[in-house]
Amino acid sequence: MASINVCTVPDELKAALRKFRFRKATTNGAIVMKVNMKSMEVEIDEEYDDCTLEEVAEDLPEFAPRYIVFSYCHRRSDGRVSYPLVFLYYCPGGVKPEMNMIYAGTKTSVINAIDITKSWEIRDAEDITEEWLLSKLEFFG
């Protein structure tokens, strides 16, 4: 039976995520992360600025998990604007069980590194839309 190691979140990544969390931009942005299977560390795969959630989803691999941190410019019906930070664990079907376990076992460490409360898992990149996100954010008011 193979030994499954939970990956580390390097200090450089933690610093980049903190910087992203407190960015001053007034547009959507995202950081997509992956696990480097050789070093067993989480690393940045892609960074996006002034993007839609659908644009980020289009670039996701078909058969590999990813962690996504998305800063969303949410314009409410009463005119207020908020910038919720959300975490998505994308794990499509067809992923090798070992890789799935590594990502699932590391997810909490990544969430804790950015101290995020809005987090969801999703299996199909086509479901990652602004409409889907708004339905999830309704719970938070």
Side-chain angles (χ1 to χ4, degrees):
M1 183 183 270
S3 167
I4 303 298
N5 296 320
V6 176
C7 304
T8 58
V9 180
D11 290 338
E12 304 84 44
L13 178 59
K14 290 178 185 177
L17 291 170
R18 270 192 299 277
K19 182 179 177 185
F20 181 75
R21 179 184 181 98
F22 296 110
R23 72 192 193 110
K24 302 293 185 205
T26 57
T27 58
N28 297 340
I31 294 180
V32 178
M33 295 162 282
K34 66 180 181 179
V35 171
N36 181 321
M37 300 305 270
K38 290 182 182 173
S39 67
M40 296 306 285
E41 290 184 337
V42 181
E43 61 187 25
I44 293 176
D45 186 31
E46 295 279 340
E47 293 185 68
Y48 297 83
D49 192 36
D50 196 13
C51 62
T52 66
L53 193 53
E54 289 85 353
E55 289 169 342
V56 175
E58 282 177 17
D59 292 341
L60 293 172
E62 194 172 341
F63 296 109
R66 291 294 184 267
Y67 304 121
I68 305 160
V69 177
F70 190 72
S71 177
Y72 178 59
C73 179
H74 185 199
R75 297 184 199 300
R76 299 170 185 264
S77 59
D78 62 4
R80 293 180 298 147
V81 177
S82 64
Y83 299 92
L85 193 66
V86 300
F87 178 87
L88 304 176
Y89 168 44
Y90 167 70
C91 187
V95 173
K96 293 180 185 176
E98 182 175 342
M99 183 181 280
N100 191 13
M101 290 174 68
I102 289 169
Y103 272 84
T106 305
K107 179 180 77 166
T108 302
S109 297
V110 177
I111 290 171
N112 290 341
I114 46 179
D115 191 29
I116 201 163
T117 57
K118 297 169 186 76
S119 127
W120 298 282
E121 293 185 21
I122 195 156
R123 299 256 177 229
D124 189 344
E126 290 181 8
D127 292 339
I128 304 174
T129 64
E130 183 176 18
E131 182 180 335
W132 173 85
L133 180 59
L134 286 171
S135 74
K136 296 296 186 180
L137 289 174
E138 281 178 7
F139 174 80
F140 295 96

